[in-house]
Amino acid sequence: MSEPTAQRHSSSHAIKSARASALTEVEVTWIEKRYEQWIRFGRIAADTIINRRTRVIAFRPGAVFAFVRWSSNDYGTIHSCIDIVTAVAPGEAYTTLPFVRPGADILLHIEGWPKVAQVLQAIDAVEAAGVDPCDASPDHWRHVGNRLNAGMPFRAYTAERHAAWLRRKALEA
């Protein structure tokens, strides 16, 4: 095989294998007090350690997870962001996100540490209500994101709201 043909063959093989994978991959890096990325919640399908500071975490289609990104310099926080997203199946529409391959359906996107802290408190409140945040209604995460972006308070996610979501989901199935 000539060199250009070999390159085309290997790159097309990589594309096919990437398409064959139904998992959404998230690359997370942790450099203490400088650059930190982590998964706040989500059902992890696979976890691959790349090196001492970097891992690739994978999620199955339909999995809901929260991805937090934070960085600082000598003067303090320079960027903080949280995304609550749904992993997509091959062929589904998605939005590209940094460090998320191929991308995901965004339920909530918040930037700025004060608002990110509010989202983390909202996640804690869902857990305090006895609900796994992965199982909470996607509409709740959209509601939280929209209200915070508008500078308004959001409704709490209660066990009653969760029961209503489960009934609605059962009817749609």
Side-chain angles (χ1 to χ4, degrees):
M1 228 186 286
S2 68
E3 188 173 326
T5 305
Q7 286 176 341
R8 265 197 313 268
H9 178 69
S10 64
S11 64
S12 67
H13 178 69
I15 292 169
K16 286 177 187 173
S17 66
R19 285 184 186 153
S21 173
L23 299 177
T24 297
E25 296 180 335
V26 182
E27 184 177 319
V28 295
T29 302
W30 187 274
I31 302 170
E32 190 75 31
K33 297 182 181 174
R34 286 305 237 187
Y35 188 76
E36 301 174 357
Q37 299 173 324
W38 69 92
I39 301 297
R40 172 55 181 85
F41 68 81
R43 293 190 181 99
I44 296 171
D47 188 351
T48 306
I49 297 172
I50 304 300
N51 59 41
R52 191 167 67 86
R53 295 180 169 166
T54 306
R55 300 177 353 192
V56 175
I57 299 172
F59 297 91
R60 288 185 178 84
V64 176
F65 62 93
F67 179 41
V68 183
R69 294 176 280 149
W70 175 88
S71 59
S72 72
N73 61 17
D74 293 338
Y75 303 102
T77 299
I78 56 174
H79 179 76
S80 57
C81 171
I82 185 167
D83 293 292
I84 298 179
V85 301
T86 303
V88 295
E92 286 185 345
Y94 60 84
T95 303
T96 58
L97 285 166
F99 310 103
V100 179
R101 291 181 300 263
D105 179 25
I106 299 174
L107 304 175
L108 174 148
H109 173 80
I110 295 290
E111 293 189 17
W113 186 251
K115 288 183 179 181
V116 169
Q118 287 181 293
V119 174
L120 294 172
Q121 290 170 355
I123 294 168
D124 291 342
V126 169
E127 290 173 334
V131 177
D132 186 335
C134 303
D135 297 328
S137 170
D139 292 337
H140 175 67
W141 299 123
R142 288 185 187 100
H143 165 75
V144 170
N146 290 336
R147 298 293 283 201
L148 285 176
N149 281 325
M152 302 177 75
F154 54 86
R155 288 187 303 273
Y157 193 74
T158 62
E160 293 80 24
R161 285 186 191 278
H162 186 63
W165 156 243
L166 292 176
R167 286 192 300 272
R168 185 177 108 197
K169 194 164 108 175
L171 288 173
E172 291 174 355

